[in-house]
Amino acid sequence: MLNDPYVMPKSLKKAASPTETNKAAADLSAFLAIACTNTAVRRAGRRLGSLYDEALAPVGLKATQIGLLAEIERLAAANEGQVPTLQDLATKLALQISAVTHALRPLIRDGLVELFPDASDKRAKRARLTTEGTDLLHRALTHWAVANAQVDRVLGSEAAAALRAVSDYVSSDEFLIAFKGEERTTR
């Protein structure tokens, strides 16, 4: 019960007056009645992440790690072989650079990714897949494809495509600008 965020510990209940307790309960009840997009998406993401992790277990990596390897390869292919900077990866994945650096550590340690300074800006680092990283990514994609096809089968191809489209939009700069109510700026 102590780990349940929706249950108020008894010690706090005793400290609050009956009026404060009733207000807190009413506030919590109102919050729980609201459809929270963030909560629903995070819960769905955890479920899907778990299913993809399970499918990728034979290659020894998590879905997030395979996603990072795939993004490095995808960005390099889109930029005529020029591998991405950590900032490129962070922007594309909607993450902070510190999170990208943290996620890359085990991949670097295991010899799947290597970092090197950018030729024109020594402060920037670029990430590239090693031969082992490329080989593992390509082996992993067969397992990923099985899981992805199963998601499409269960959701239906139209619903799965719609889910991906909405997810891509929510992670885009256009959504961020619209959410914050800012005028669109050119970059």
Side-chain angles (χ1 to χ4, degrees):
M1 278 294 198
L2 287 178
N3 291 332
D4 189 340
Y6 302 115
V7 176
M8 188 182 307
K10 290 180 181 178
S11 61
L12 291 179
K13 285 183 182 178
K14 291 178 182 175
S17 70
T19 304
E20 291 169 332
T21 300
N22 289 340
K23 179 167 178 1
D27 288 348
L28 179 59
S29 186
F31 173 77
L32 294 175
I34 297 171
C36 180
T37 303
N38 181 52
T39 301
V41 169
R42 284 178 179 257
R43 187 173 49 243
R46 286 190 299 272
R47 172 60 51 91
L48 283 173
S50 175
L51 294 171
Y52 279 79
D53 285 349
E54 188 177 304
L56 292 164
V59 295
L61 293 176
K62 301 284 186 187
T64 52
Q65 293 173 311
I66 296 299
L68 190 52
L69 294 175
E71 201 57 47
I72 292 169
E73 187 170 90
R74 184 181 2 258
L75 287 171
N79 197 18
E80 300 175 6
Q82 177 69 27
V83 296
T85 64
L86 297 186
Q87 182 61 56
D88 295 336
L89 282 170
T91 299
K92 181 66 177 170
L93 298 170
L95 293 170
Q96 297 291 323
I97 288 181
S98 60
V100 170
T101 303
H102 179 76
L104 284 172
R105 280 189 194 127
L107 300 173
I108 293 166
R109 178 198 66 218
D110 294 344
L112 304 174
V113 173
E114 56 189 8
L115 296 183
F116 62 96
D118 180 78
S120 61
D121 182 356
K122 299 294 184 202
R123 297 170 299 169
K125 290 186 180 175
R126 292 190 174 273
R128 75 174 148 230
L129 300 186
T130 62
T131 302
E132 294 83 8
T134 301
D135 291 346
L136 184 60
L137 172 61
H138 292 189
R139 282 196 326 270
L141 290 178
T142 60
H143 298 281
W144 169 87
V146 170
N148 207 56
Q150 181 68 355
V151 169
D152 278 10
R153 187 188 70 69
V154 171
L155 285 178
S157 58
E158 281 187 30
L163 179 60
R164 287 188 297 273
V166 169
S167 297
D168 287 343
Y169 175 64
V170 170
S171 66
S172 73
D173 288 341
E174 289 79 12
F175 177 84
L176 184 61
I177 290 166
F179 183 86
K180 291 185 173 185
E182 300 170 3
E183 286 189 31
R184 189 177 179 138
T185 58
T186 57
R187 292 182 185 208

